[in-house]
Amino acid sequence: MIFVQALLAGVFQVVQMLLVLALAPGLTGLVRVVKARLLGRRGPPLVQPYRDLFRLLRKDVVLAENASWLFRVTPYLVFTAIWLAAALVPTFTTALALTATADLIALVALLASARFFLALAGMDVGTSFGGLGSSREMMIAALAEPAMLMVIFSIAILVRTTSLSLIVDFMLAGGVGLRISLGLALISLLMVAIAENARIPVDNPATHLELTMVHEAMVLEYSGRHLALIEAAGMLKLVLYMALIACIFLPWGISGPGEGPLAILIGLVTFVLKLASGAVLLALFETSIAKMRVFRYGEFLGGALLLSLLGAIFLYVSTGL
């Protein structure tokens, strides 16, 4: 029996990793389609991100003369770290092979590692755009990561663990009720997700303006399969954050260990519906707000840090710790 459960956990883990990899370009394409429709344009087809990735994979890699080994291996490291982080977040079931290591702290560490190598690669070739993008990325990280950690501490105070599968079980068990602290943590996490995924109003990957570029400035020197891996990692990161928010705050539909095929199917359908809903809401938000100036990033992410801190304090006081 234990062997069968371990085998199923391994199968579900592989399915989850392939699922997030397959859905990531589609999610990005859906956001673009909805934004185009809201702006009264026809827009690119839903499958355009898939076509772009395959086109980049077929192209040769062009490297700068002074690019070091770090520049060449960074796309593989970034893609692997973010894919592994996405594999830790329960999407349709908590019966995963990596459940024991599916910890919020490990998740943040993987994302921080990917950002660290990408920032180093941005400076590696010595271009002004790369240095500019890396410095701005680190400025965002200095505010976004503390806010993310405070959200984690808030959840940990309430659930007494940072294990994602136990958080899902706790939320599904009911009894949490409506808490102001959780609402503040949710808003803070949404703001961090917008900044980390280079979305409007913090960044706009669709533009190449020197005054506003952050993420795009770091990866301007990449081409071919290297650029395809970095683009795919960015798409996976968007899925990861949507799955994380759904996992913590909207875990309904996620099946637990030992549940049957019907529960698994419900989990798969609800996960896809959550992603589609998140894409529509993100497109609505981005079409209703303008890109902010670089010097206002601190105010935006400082607000996220303040909200997460207030949420942790409220939980600390209300739970009597």
Side-chain angles (χ1 to χ4, degrees):
M1 188 63 182
I2 295 176
F3 174 75
V4 174
Q5 289 179 347
L7 182 63
L8 284 176
V11 171
F12 291 151
Q13 187 67 67
V14 173
V15 171
Q16 160 143 331
M17 295 183 75
L18 295 177
L19 182 68
V20 294
L21 191 61
L23 291 179
L27 180 67
T28 300
L30 182 59
V31 174
R32 292 175 183 171
V33 168
V34 176
K35 283 179 68 176
R37 294 289 189 272
L38 291 173
L39 294 172
R41 294 186 285 107
R42 184 177 179 182
L46 186 65
V47 296
Q48 189 60 45
Y50 295 98
R51 294 176 180 170
D52 292 340
L53 290 179
F54 285 121
R55 175 175 53 83
L56 288 172
L57 287 172
R58 289 198 301 268
K59 289 191 173 183
D60 294 331
V61 173
V62 179
L63 291 171
E65 292 182 357
N66 54 343
S68 71
W69 63 271
L70 180 66
F71 187 83
R72 291 190 291 273
V73 301
T74 291
Y76 303 97
L77 292 174
V78 170
F79 179 80
T80 304
I82 294 182
W83 195 17
L84 182 57
L88 296 181
V89 182
T91 54
F92 63 96
T93 180
T94 56
L96 300 171
L98 295 178
T99 293
T101 55
D103 190 271
L104 279 168
I105 303 295
L107 192 75
V108 173
L110 285 169
L111 293 176
S113 301
R115 186 207 310 275
F116 172 73
F117 283 106
L118 198 58
L120 284 181
M123 295 184 291
D124 185 71
V125 292
T127 62
S128 57
F129 277 111
L132 178 146
S134 297
S135 63
R136 288 179 179 176
E137 183 76 9
M138 288 298 104
M139 178 188 70
I140 291 174
L143 293 168
E145 286 181 3
M148 180 80 173
L149 287 173
M150 288 309 301
V151 171
I152 293 172
F153 293 152
S154 300
I155 303 298
I157 289 173
L158 181 64
V159 189
R160 308 293 177 90
T161 179
T162 54
S163 169
L164 281 166
S165 59
L166 294 179
I167 290 172
V168 171
D169 293 339
F170 182 85
M171 293 296 184
L172 286 175
V176 178
L178 293 175
R179 288 175 178 264
I180 295 175
S181 50
L182 281 181
L184 294 174
L186 173 60
I187 296 172
S188 176
L189 186 56
L190 287 172
M191 295 170 75
V192 170
I194 288 170
E196 293 280 16
N197 285 283
R199 310 300 308 192
I200 296 174
V202 177
D203 193 6
N204 185 4
T207 65
H208 288 78
L209 300 175
E210 180 182 354
L211 290 176
T212 59
M213 277 196 303
V214 179
H215 180 77
E216 285 297 302
M218 285 191 300
V219 302
L220 272 180
E221 297 297 323
Y222 279 112
S223 59
R225 64 177 179 278
H226 289 168
L227 183 58
L229 286 171
I230 289 177
E231 293 290 335
M235 295 171 187
L236 273 171
K237 199 173 181 182
L238 183 60
V239 173
L240 185 156
Y241 270 94
M242 284 195 182
L244 180 64
I245 292 168
C247 162
I248 296 175
F249 298 99
L250 303 167
W252 301 283
I254 298 177
S255 66
E259 296 191 18
L262 181 60
I264 297 294
L265 181 61
I266 292 174
L268 286 169
V269 173
T270 53
F271 175 60
V272 174
L273 291 177
K274 288 173 189 175
L275 286 185
S277 303
V280 173
L281 292 175
L282 178 60
L284 281 170
F285 177 75
E286 289 193 332
T287 51
S288 61
I289 195 166
K291 168 83 173 61
M292 67 173 63
R293 296 180 180 179
V294 174
F295 64 82
R296 294 193 60 190
Y297 291 173
E299 298 175 14
F300 182 81
L301 290 169
L305 179 58
L306 179 62
L307 289 175
S308 61
L309 183 61
L310 286 174
I313 292 173
F314 285 162
L315 267 178
Y316 184 81
V317 173
S318 63
T319 52
L321 292 176

